């Protein structure tokens, strides 16, 4: 684990004291890169299975008693990369599975960034415009959104590093632009056999040609009708769909 993962005294104080409690909007204390490292540690050792605190701490070169370890876990959960169905046990979410796949990591990072309420709020407010040029102005904006005044500098620094790592600053650090994603890397579903008596119609059940490949990829992920699908996983699928809409479509021009 590198020095970036070690929680500063400010982070520890904010996590355990009243400063964080006064923040009314969610945000991580470590940037996206550190959250991805935890997801990669889980995937590299147990794949899509579960692990416990002791295992995850060892794989990331930390102690279970380390405040930095706890902050990193919290950050990974806020980005939507890991989940804990039982206390002290962790596994990857669907988004976490995407982010450890090199062919899907770019899209996953863009979606993970928007999972953070503070980051999504800033993105929506300044979409199509430019961010405040001064750090102090951006920090005041964050305080207005619900960040505690005592941790506004940490919130801004982590936001800027996460935006850089997620690709939102590719067109300059004064504006947030959703990263472009080429295509979804899903294997195409097998085409059904041609009905007896002659085909016709829309091509024998193929995906409509006008559907964006990103949406097609999400549709492929849908489980068969009548199967068991946990509510948490359904909600994540819907969030991925919503994020894909933001990536694909433009808002109506105001006025």
């Amino acid at each position: 684990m590198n020095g970036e993962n070690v929680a500063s005294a400010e982070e520890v104080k904010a996590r355990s004291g009243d400063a964080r409690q006064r923040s009314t909007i969610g945000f991580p204390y470590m940037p996206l890169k550190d959250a991805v490292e935890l997801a990669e540690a889980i995937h590299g050792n147990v794949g899509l299975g579960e692990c416990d605190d002791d295992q995850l701490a060892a794989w990331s070169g930390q102690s279970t008693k380390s405040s930095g370890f706890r902050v990193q876990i919290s950050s990974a959960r806020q980005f939507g990369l890991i989940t804990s169905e039982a206390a002290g046990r962790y596994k990857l979410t669907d988004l976490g599975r995407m982010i450890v796949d090199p062919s899907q990591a770019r899209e996953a990072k863009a979606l993970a960034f928007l999972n953070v309420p503070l980051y999504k709020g800033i993105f929506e407010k300044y979409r199509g415009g430019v961010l405040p040029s001064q750090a102090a102005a951006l920090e005041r904006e964050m305080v207005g959104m619900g960040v505690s005044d005592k941790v506004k500098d940490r919130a801004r620094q982590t936001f800027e590093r996460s935006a850089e790592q997620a690709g939102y600053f590719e067109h300059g650090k004064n504006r947030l632009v959703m990263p472009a994603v080429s295509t979804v890397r899903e294997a195409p579903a097998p085409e059904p056999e041609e009905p007896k008596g002659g085909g016709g119609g829309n091509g024998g059940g193929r995906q409509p040609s006008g559907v964006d490949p990103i949406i097609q990829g999400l549709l492929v992920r849908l489980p068969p009708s009548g199967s068991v699908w946990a509510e948490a996983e359904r909600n994540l699928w819907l969030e991925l769909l919503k994020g894909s809409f933001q990536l694909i479509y433009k808002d109506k021009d105001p006025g």
Side-chain angles (χ1 to χ4, degrees):
M1 175 177 164
N2 58 39
E4 290 183 345
N5 286 354
V6 179
S8 67
E10 179 186 50
E11 290 168 335
V12 175
K13 179 181 178 182
R15 182 171 173 80
S16 60
D18 63 344
R20 180 162 183 157
Q21 293 174 359
R22 290 205 307 273
S23 293
T24 58
I25 190 169
F27 59 94
Y29 278 77
M30 285 186 177
L32 179 59
K33 175 177 177 291
D34 298 297
V36 173
E37 287 178 359
L38 272 195
E40 290 174 339
I42 294 174
H43 185 259
N45 287 276
V46 293
L48 305 182
E50 287 188 338
C51 65
D52 60 28
D53 273 326
D54 292 338
Q55 292 172 312
L56 188 53
W59 298 335
S60 57
Q62 304 179 73
S63 166
T64 57
K65 298 180 180 179
S66 165
S67 57
F69 177 58
R70 293 298 165 192
V71 171
Q72 192 176 9
I73 287 176
S74 174
S75 298
R77 294 179 70 170
Q78 290 190 64
F79 281 114
L81 305 187
I82 67 173
T83 186
S84 179
E85 296 181 357
R89 297 195 63 82
Y90 311 99
K91 67 177 183 178
L92 297 180
T93 62
D94 284 350
L95 186 59
R97 298 178 187 184
M98 289 177 61
I99 216 161
V100 298
D101 178 353
S103 68
Q104 301 185 81
R106 179 178 172 85
E107 177 187 0
K109 289 177 181 178
L111 296 175
F113 180 83
L114 294 180
N115 269 341
V116 178
L118 175 63
Y119 300 174
K120 184 175 182 180
I122 295 173
F123 174 76
E124 293 293 346
K125 184 168 186 176
Y126 288 98
R127 191 171 189 173
V130 295
L131 294 169
S133 59
Q134 299 297 320
L138 182 55
E139 289 175 4
R140 284 195 296 271
E141 190 73 58
M142 290 180 169
V143 170
M145 291 181 173
V147 173
S148 166
D149 188 70
K150 292 185 177 180
V151 294
K152 61 186 180 184
D153 55 340
R154 170 56 61 183
R156 175 188 55 78
Q157 292 166 13
T158 306
F159 160 78
E160 291 174 342
R161 291 164 65 188
S162 296
E164 179 77 32
Q165 293 158 8
Y168 281 80
F169 282 160
E170 290 179 348
H171 298 277
K173 292 189 175 182
N174 66 335
R175 64 177 65 241
L176 292 171
V177 179
M178 173 75 77
V181 179
S182 55
T183 58
V184 171
R185 280 68 47 184
E186 291 286 341
E191 295 182 5
E193 295 181 4
E194 190 72 16
K196 293 182 179 180
N202 66 355
R206 299 174 185 171
Q207 291 282 0
S209 59
V211 176
D212 190 280
I214 293 178
I215 303 300
Q216 292 183 14
L218 286 173
L219 293 177
V220 170
R221 292 176 179 270
L222 283 172
S225 298
S227 60
V228 176
W229 196 15
E231 182 178 1
E233 294 181 357
R234 296 198 304 268
N235 291 337
L236 177 58
W237 187 90
L238 290 171
E239 285 297 320
L240 291 173
L241 181 64
K242 182 178 179 181
S244 298
F245 285 162
Q246 291 178 328
L247 185 68
I248 297 167
Y249 302 109
K250 297 179 179 179
D251 289 333
K252 183 178 179 181
D253 292 336

